[in-house]
Amino acid sequence: MGKYKNLLVNVGIFGLSAVATKLMAFILMPLYTLYLSTEEYGIMDMATIMVTTLFPVLTLLISEGMLRFTLDDKSKAAFYITETMLVMLASCVLLAIILPVFDLPIFGGLGRYKIWFLLSYAALCFPSVMGTVARAMDQMKLIAYASILSALIMGVLAYALIAGMNLGLMGYFYSYIVGNGSAILVYLFAGKQYQFIDFTVWRNNASLRRQLWRYSLPLAPNSLCNQIQTTVSRFIIIGVLGISASGLYAAASKIPNLLNVLQQIVQQAWQLSAFQEFKSSGLKHFYDVIWRVYQALMSVGSALVIALSPFIAKVLMQRQFYSAWPLISILVLAFYLSAINNFLGTIYQAYMRTKPLLVATVVGAAACLAFTAILVHDWGISAAAFGVFVGSLVIFVVRVIDVRRLMAINMRPIPTAITMMLLTVQSLVTSNQCSHYLFWSSICLLLITFVQCYELKPLITLLFTKRKYTA
């Protein structure tokens, strides 16, 4: 039971971190939608999207390779961490060079805030990489401390600068940069991560460098294609419907991010355990057990958010932003499929087979963009929401078929298919606001909960009786 205990401990630590950071975004959302115009909100969202899009492009996700190889052999940690930090520093220099590109109209006015965007990139991405170092070097508690501090500082500053001093979008940038940047100090001084930097070791390990980059390089375009489904869809919306329409779509997208809190907690803990337990016995059984728990959490969480979406939107989406709430249920359905895809993607990373990840993601991104571009004139911003769903569905189909080459996980096809069908019905009924849609949405939620409780019954028995469980 040691592997399950370690997983639960990691879930708890990542949970504290996520509650501090992700939920702070939702606490601040009414502030943003009340004090910012749709145009300002659109620029704010574009800045956030571009940071998350450029991070894998400029760093080539070397931090993911660092995590995988450091967990495999900590004696070489100094090389992997030094290489990662140098790449992160180089990414900031590259971004500074290409800043004039953001003056183009396609970026919706972000060019007026170029320097603040660069600082936002550094303030978010350095703590992210340093958090990955903490995961690799067993500094798990440090992640929670850094996240809680940065979230508190950002929240206090946001309300003081935006509501108190009426600084608008600049108030957002100030609070974002100072809040996220404070986590760097925690990792440097409390975690003493500077001690992991060793340039002598870094210069004399060319073979390790080739191995690290061979693993990491396919992850960068894979992550980029995932981002393309969101980023390029926003560009299409801006080009056809304008920056205000992008702001409405961005506001609707924030609600499904409630689920990202849950998903990222479980995904990060699951990824860490998958890497740590890769060489242990009973690997397939471990994966089968975690699949049931993961599937239950994601499906019930998704159904719950869809059922509550009209009420959540009334609190978080102020003024004209509320009109976009019907998109939430489609975006939640897309999130559910994306969460399953991430689970399957971890298997490829555990086996160090990262190239196949890219193939499915490219096909899915192409499907998403084609769907959005073709229908945006007729469907408006709804085309982007359905486009993300179509892209996630394509990736899911490809990975379910392909991953069996590495490990034949028992994905429980019948309960999983029933759950997906119920979620789809719930999403369509809610987004179209059919007659008595709240009632039917609640029925779907109850049925999904029943199916997943039935699926988890053997695991609950295992915990209380300590009998051997067979998936």
Side-chain angles (χ1 to χ4, degrees), residues 172-237:
Y172 162 78
F173 277 115
Y174 293 150
S175 61
Y176 188 89
I177 292 166
V178 175
N180 285 303
S182 64
I184 297 175
L185 302 178
V186 175
Y187 288 119
L188 278 179
F189 296 107
K192 299 181 179 179
Q193 289 195 357
Y194 52 81
Q195 67 184 338
F196 303 135
I197 305 297
D198 189 327
F199 292 105
T200 302
V201 172
W202 175 75
R203 283 193 297 267
N204 299 321
N205 280 282
S207 60
L208 293 181
R209 183 173 292 109
R210 286 192 296 270
Q211 185 183 43
L212 176 64
W213 283 102
R214 191 180 302 117
Y215 174 90
S216 301
L217 281 175
L219 295 177
N222 175 70
S223 178
L224 178 61
C225 287
N226 278 326
Q227 291 294 332
I228 280 174
Q229 294 189 60
T230 301
T231 307
V232 180
S233 294
R234 302 290 174 85
F235 288 145
I236 294 172
I237 291 173

Side-chain angles (χ1 to χ4, degrees), residues 79-115:
F79 168 79
Y80 296 127
I81 294 172
T82 304
E83 179 86 351
T84 299
M85 288 302 179
L86 289 175
V87 170
M88 183 62 227
L89 185 61
S91 75
C92 293
V93 175
L94 287 173
L95 180 57
I97 294 172
I98 65 172
L99 278 180
V101 173
F102 294 98
D103 289 323
L104 295 174
I106 193 172
F107 293 101
L110 182 59
R112 300 196 300 271
Y113 304 91
K114 292 191 293 289
I115 300 302

Side-chain angles (χ1 to χ4, degrees), residues 223-281:
S223 178
L224 178 61
C225 287
N226 278 326
Q227 291 294 332
I228 280 174
Q229 294 189 60
T230 301
T231 307
V232 180
S233 294
R234 302 290 174 85
F235 288 145
I236 294 172
I237 291 173
I238 293 171
V240 177
L241 305 174
I243 188 66
S244 292
S246 178
L248 291 174
Y249 181 79
S253 301
K254 296 297 182 183
I255 308 298
N257 283 343
L258 281 169
L259 291 165
N260 274 332
V261 176
L262 175 64
Q263 193 269 335
Q264 289 184 12
I265 292 170
V266 180
Q267 177 67 23
Q268 287 181 327
W270 152 243
Q271 183 189 52
L272 197 59
S273 293
F275 293 169
Q276 290 171 335
E277 300 295 333
F278 181 69
K279 295 180 180 179
S280 66
S281 59

Side-chain angles (χ1 to χ4, degrees), residues 7 31 48 79 91 98 114 118 136 161-162 165 175 192 213 343 390 395 404 452 471:
L7 178 60
L31 173 74
T48 302
F79 168 79
S91 75
I98 65 172
K114 292 191 293 289
L118 173 62
L161 298 175
I162 298 176
M165 300 179 64
S175 61
K192 299 181 179 179
W213 283 102
F343 179 92
V390 170
I395 296 172
R404 302 185 75 83
Q452 294 307 318

